[in-house]
Amino acid sequence: MVLVKGPVVVGIDNGGTANNATVLTAAGEFLVDRMVEIPSRVKEGPEQAVTALSDALDNILTVTGVPRDAVVAVGLDTPGPATADGVISQKGSTNFSEPAWHGFDIRGALEARLGLPVVYNNDGNAAALYAHHVYFGAAAADTSSISAIVGTGLGGGVVENGQVVRGAAGMAGELGHVTIPLHGLIEDDQPLPTCNCGFTGDSESIASLTGIAKNLLPYWLARYPDHPLHDEPSIMAAAKKLRGMAEAGDEMALRVFEQQATAIGRLFTVAANFTDPHAYFVGGGVVETQPHFREWFIKTVRDHTLLRAEQSAVATFALVPDLDMAGARGAAIAALERHVPGE
């Protein structure tokens, strides 16, 4: 068992298949530098999923050798949409589609199960908070940022003065559903991209894996009739292979990702005129790619973010670090700030 000076918090990142957990000390030290996962069991329903979250806490304490009585709070993140208090949307969500999840108070249920305070964020906000604190360090409380996390959908978050902007219902920072200008972004004969949320032309309809499969790839494959992705068994299987092809320099794949990067740039342009942040962070699969590709991608985002000269002089563009661990770590930071005085 490790010797821990002072209290610790545990951060748990809940996903569709696994829960990843971490431990953060009062001094700001993470006790694991890797993923520590167990099955999340969300498809089995709320009762089993809350048990799995409790098991994730027990597991990370075993891995780190930290005694249970050293834990003063738990940070939890899940995919949204959910309220600021961790109540899953009445319409459910991708990971919480079964009726039993609709309107379920996952934060409250875990808090009751553990007998410890639980601080909730959605996964995009948690990753955004982590990126902000890693980049700004001691200056985190005096700075602002916006993060766009590209995955199956487009998540993210807005951080102001070191704190996540939650909104009245806890659903602020749903960046994927911000409508962006399409002129010059899509081709003249390209169909208008639609989102599963019902919007047309929001950023998620382009900058997400779902956007690739639903909107971008069908169009570009028609423009490239001899492309090898035509041989894939489904459009989603083809979409999942596209990033690797772009890294290898495939022309069609690069055109798709150029549209994605342009869409994020236009999203950040909206942010520049609305929140004027100090930093713009990009996360998702691009973080896990070869350096030449991610540098090209972030440069393309920057080139399509329209800033005034005064903003350009102070703004930073960067990638979200430690993406797989960012959710759990951001959740832990939120718990530490709430429940450890002076941190």
Side-chain angles (χ1 to χ4, degrees):
M1 185 170 293
V2 299
L3 178 62
V4 178
K5 294 182 179 180
V8 303
V9 296
V10 171
I12 304 175
D13 173 44
N14 167 261
T17 59
N19 293 323
N20 176 50
T22 192
V23 179
L24 178 61
T25 70
E29 176 189 3
F30 289 102
L31 298 185
V32 291
D33 59 0
R34 58 187 174 86
M35 302 279 283
V36 181
E37 293 183 309
I38 66 168
S40 64
R41 302 178 65 189
V42 294
K43 299 302 181 185
E44 299 176 40
E47 182 177 351
Q48 292 81 358
V50 171
T51 296
L53 289 168
S54 177
D55 291 344
L57 171 69
D58 293 336
N59 183 61
I60 194 64
L61 295 181
T62 299
V63 168
T64 57
V66 173
R68 174 69 178 259
D69 60 10
V71 181
V72 295
V74 173
L76 170 68
D77 79 69
T78 76
T83 71
D85 292 325
V87 178
I88 305 300
S89 170
Q90 293 288 344
K91 294 184 177 180
S93 70
T94 300
N95 284 356
F96 305 113
S97 57
E98 293 82 1
W101 279 112
H102 298 184
F104 182 76
D105 181 3
I106 191 169
R107 187 208 63 81
L110 182 61
E111 186 168 271
R113 174 66 179 261
L114 299 179
L116 288 167
V118 175
V119 177
Y120 178 81
N121 282 282
N122 72 43
D123 54 358
N125 284 346
L129 185 64
Y130 178 62
H132 184 89
H133 278 259
V134 169
Y135 187 84
F136 288 110
D142 300 315
T143 47
S144 60
S145 65
I146 184 168
S147 298
I149 316 293
V150 186
T152 302
L154 181 67
V158 179
V159 176
E160 185 69 35
N161 294 330
Q163 301 291 320
V164 170
V165 177
R166 300 177 184 277
M171 297 181 183
E174 290 290 345
L175 304 179
H177 306 302
V178 174
T179 302
I180 58 175
L182 297 178
H183 178 72
L185 194 166
I186 62 174
E187 300 292 304
D188 291 341
D189 61 341
Q190 191 169 358
L192 294 176
T194 59
C195 182
N196 288 343
C197 74
F199 287 176
T200 296
D202 64 12
S203 54
E204 184 173 300
S205 69
I206 299 170
S208 66
L209 179 63
T210 302
I212 288 177
K214 183 177 181 179
N215 299 309
L216 306 188
L217 195 52
Y219 170 79
W220 286 107
L221 282 174
R223 296 278 296 266
Y224 288 79
D226 298 324
H227 198 277
L229 285 182
H230 282 284
D231 297 330
E232 292 299 314
S234 69
I235 194 68
M236 183 57 75
K240 290 179 178 179
K241 286 192 172 183
L242 199 66
R243 191 182 72 199
M245 301 186 80
E247 287 182 275
D250 180 83
E251 180 180 272
M252 185 196 76
L254 286 171
R255 297 193 75 171
V256 171
F257 282 99
E258 183 178 19
Q259 288 190 319
Q260 286 208 330
T262 302
I264 295 172
R266 293 194 175 189
L267 173 66
F268 284 168
T269 300
V270 174
N273 287 284
F274 193 72
T275 67
D276 188 24
H278 292 85
Y280 303 81
F281 298 116
V282 178
V286 291
V287 174
E288 302 165 3
T289 57
Q290 295 296 319
H292 74 275
F293 179 78
R294 63 175 180 255
E295 289 166 8
W296 167 82
F297 191 89
I298 195 73
K299 181 180 183 302
T300 306
V301 170
R302 174 67 182 85
D303 289 346
H304 288 89
T305 302
L306 303 181
L307 301 179
R308 295 174 175 83
E310 297 86 349
Q311 293 173 311
S312 294
V314 297
T316 296
F317 287 75
L319 296 170
V320 175
D322 305 317
L323 186 70
D324 287 342
M325 298 185 290
R329 288 187 167 193
I333 289 171
L336 189 73
E337 291 181 333
R338 185 82 62 87
H339 290 284
V340 180
E343 298 298 328

